[in-house]
Amino acid sequence: MKPELVSVIMPTYNASKFLADSIESVLNQTYTNLELLITDDCSSDDTISILKEFAQRDKRVKVKYLRSNVGPAIARNRSIERAKGRYIAFCDCDDRWMPNKLELQIAHMRKHDCALCSSSYLICDDDNEVTGIFISPSHITLGMLKRDNKIGCLTAIYDIKRLGHKFYMPAIRKRQDWALFLNILKECQICFCVREPLAYYRNRQNSVSSNKLSLVKYNVNVYETVFGYTCLRAYIYFFLIFMPTYFVKVLKRDSDSKRYLAEHKK
């Protein structure tokens, strides 16, 4: 029986430095029945030529070029709209997957009969040097995810056959992936996770996501958008619930990272 199709969603914007490695990591999966749906958000660097080269080389690479810059949420949604697979997976244009990522996660989803799955992941810098690790819990409930985002977008896979082709990134400026997974968990209740790291998240210097303080208003916006909270209630929940949970997560991630790096020193 032929494995069911996985639609991999990748937005691109001026991504030429890391793009080829990201695409290769998807195309070199041991689970080969996939389509890589790339939506370019009006790049002005060498991204376009790289995309055209891969599209000519591998028919699984399908690229849509936007005429204006609309942001990653809409770019991802343009790819989701075109998806033909049973499963939707995400890989940003500066992240990478391990070769067996899809194979292990699809098997995990079948084992647990679940609609949403994520995994642990390694953290690397601009030079591909591993600097840390995020170890996922064995499962994530809506309440857990509401307190703090524990799903790395680059590891997430959801099942359209079980959920329907109806989930898209909300039209908010930042933290769209967290909002998406909250909406999915409102329906399926639980995300089962692979504890083994299956991807590399690139923690780029001076990136927007690296400045956590600047993202406070976007985190609050998620509570307003997904749960319909008033602005005041959203800020109260953020400071009293999210922040303590987030700091505990950071402490655990730092501890896990130190142990991982010590164990894997050359």
Side-chain angles (χ1 to χ4, degrees):
M1 181 178 177
K2 186 177 181 180
E4 297 190 76
L5 182 67
V6 176
S7 297
V8 183
I9 309 303
M10 179 182 289
T12 59
Y13 176 68
N14 291 347
S16 58
K17 183 176 181 180
F18 306 111
L19 179 57
D21 286 344
S22 297
I23 294 177
E24 292 281 10
S25 76
V26 173
L27 299 180
N28 291 334
Q29 289 292 298
T30 55
Y31 190 107
T32 59
N33 191 26
L34 61 87
E35 58 177 1
L36 176 54
L37 303 175
I38 300 173
T39 299
D40 182 74
D41 198 15
C42 200
S43 292
S44 57
D45 65 354
D46 293 334
T47 295
I48 303 300
S49 60
I50 295 172
L51 293 176
K52 289 181 177 179
E53 178 183 348
F54 274 102
Q56 292 177 350
R57 185 194 311 176
D58 195 315
K59 65 181 181 180
R60 295 176 297 172
V61 179
K62 303 169 184 178
V63 187
K64 180 179 179 64
Y65 302 96
L66 300 182
R67 295 182 179 180
S68 61
N69 183 266
V70 294
I74 295 177
R76 288 190 182 106
N77 287 342
R78 293 293 179 267
S79 290
I80 295 173
E81 289 168 359
R82 297 183 283 138
K84 297 180 180 179
R86 171 173 177 173
Y87 299 99
I88 299 287
F90 298 91
C91 184
D92 279 354
C93 55
D94 53 357
D95 297 329
R96 291 175 293 139
W97 286 355
M98 295 185 183
N100 60 348
K101 176 190 182 294
L102 288 182
E103 181 180 0
L104 291 182
Q105 281 192 264
I106 298 298
H108 199 69
M109 294 178 78
R110 290 172 178 163
K111 176 182 177 181
H112 292 281
D113 192 27
C114 66
L116 178 64
C117 179
S118 65
S119 79
S120 302
Y121 56 86
L122 297 176
I123 304 165
C124 69
D125 60 19
D126 286 1
D127 298 317
N128 291 331
E129 182 177 349
V130 174
T131 59
I133 187 172
F134 172 76
I135 300 178
S136 176
S138 61
H139 69 278
I140 300 169
T141 64
L142 176 61
M144 293 167 65
L145 195 67
K146 184 179 178 181
R147 290 191 291 272
D148 173 53
N149 187 14
K150 297 174 176 63
I151 298 178
C153 188
L154 75 164
T155 74
I157 302 178
Y158 67 90
D159 185 347
I160 283 181
K161 186 174 181 180
R162 293 173 62 98
L163 296 170
H165 203 150
K166 61 187 178 186
F167 287 103
Y168 295 88
M169 295 278 174
I172 56 179
R173 189 171 179 183
K174 302 290 180 184
R175 293 296 189 245
Q176 311 96 339
D177 55 336
W178 181 30
L180 169 66
F181 303 137
L182 283 168
N183 281 328
I184 290 175
L185 280 180
K186 284 167 71 175
E187 180 162 325
C188 72
Q189 301 301 313
I190 190 166
C191 170
F192 283 94
C193 312
V194 178
R195 301 297 300 280
E196 178 184 347
L198 298 179
Y200 294 89
Y201 169 76
R202 192 179 304 279
N203 187 19
R204 299 174 64 179
Q205 294 296 319
N206 301 320
S207 68
V208 174
S209 61
S210 68
N211 187 349
K212 301 303 182 185
L213 288 177
S214 70
L215 294 174
V216 170
K217 62 181 179 181
Y218 300 119
N219 289 326
V220 168
N221 193 20
V222 169
Y223 292 122
E224 296 172 322
T225 302
V226 176
F227 298 103
Y229 285 3
T230 63
C231 183
L232 176 61
R233 184 180 180 187
Y235 269 101
I236 291 173
Y237 192 95
F238 175 79
F239 283 111
L240 295 185
I241 306 297
F242 178 98
M243 288 301 295
T245 307
Y246 172 76
F247 282 124
V248 170
K249 183 182 76 171
V250 170
L251 290 173
K252 182 180 183 303
R253 184 187 65 200
D254 290 347
S255 175
D256 290 338
S257 295
K258 288 179 182 178
R259 183 166 55 253
Y260 178 87
L261 294 173
E263 292 173 352
H264 290 80
K265 279 184 178 179
K266 293 183 179 180

